[in-house]
Amino acid sequence: PRRRGLLRASGDDAAYALARANKRASVTLDEMNATAAKLGAFDTIAKDPSCLDKVGETSSAYDLALIGRAAMKLPDFRTYVSTKTASVPGGRSSDGTMLPGFTINNHNRLLYNYDGAIGIKNGYTIAAKQTFIGAATRGGKTYIVTELASPNGSWRPTAALLDWAFAH
């Protein structure tokens, strides 16, 4: 359930929980940065497991495309980011009360509005503003579009870029 929340609904708390489950956050950050370097994402330095703003944290649209392309090769990741909704089962609170299950909706509006959309992730930080990594497949071709510092966070500019890519 944490991965579903992290990748569909920008669950920063899920990123921190997963980092802690991986021994500690510093181990996760070392792994994130090693993976970025291995992919050739040399503008990327992660300083926070959820990629919220931290001094010295950087990336670029190019690097996000490299990371997105590599991630989409992972079947589980691809399933998580392309699914519009997921059910999370209920559980028991610390006082023993049963809690109901709930549904997580994907925040990626491209999935709901663009024919062939297959993911990936939208987000926002104060430093990066609205960000988006989107992917779509049509006619046997797949394109990834990344945006940083978008003024409005709409899916429409991504759709326009994808339309252009598929047309040309």
Side-chain angles (χ1 to χ4, degrees), residues 128-150:
K129 307 296 182 224
Q130 300 285 344
T131 61
F132 191 79
I133 309 169
T137 298
R138 287 186 187 167
K141 297 215 182 276
T142 299
Y143 293 100
I144 294 176
V145 173
T146 61
E147 298 173 60
L148 294 174
S150 176

Side-chain angles (χ1 to χ4, degrees), residues 74-144:
L74 304 170
D76 285 346
F77 179 89
R78 194 175 182 119
T79 297
Y80 295 144
V81 300
S82 65
T83 303
K84 293 177 185 173
T85 62
S87 297
V88 177
R92 193 172 299 276
S93 70
S94 59
D95 68 1
T97 305
M98 288 302 294
L99 301 172
F102 57 95
T103 300
I104 297 173
N105 294 311
N106 197 316
H107 289 183
N108 180 349
R109 294 290 148 223
L110 193 71
L111 286 174
Y112 299 89
N113 294 292
Y114 192 78
D115 183 40
I118 57 173
I120 297 177
K121 181 85 175 73
N122 60 304
Y124 178 86
T125 72
I126 293 168
K129 307 296 182 224
Q130 300 285 344
T131 61
F132 191 79
I133 309 169
T137 298
R138 287 186 187 167
K141 297 215 182 276
T142 299
Y143 293 100
I144 294 176

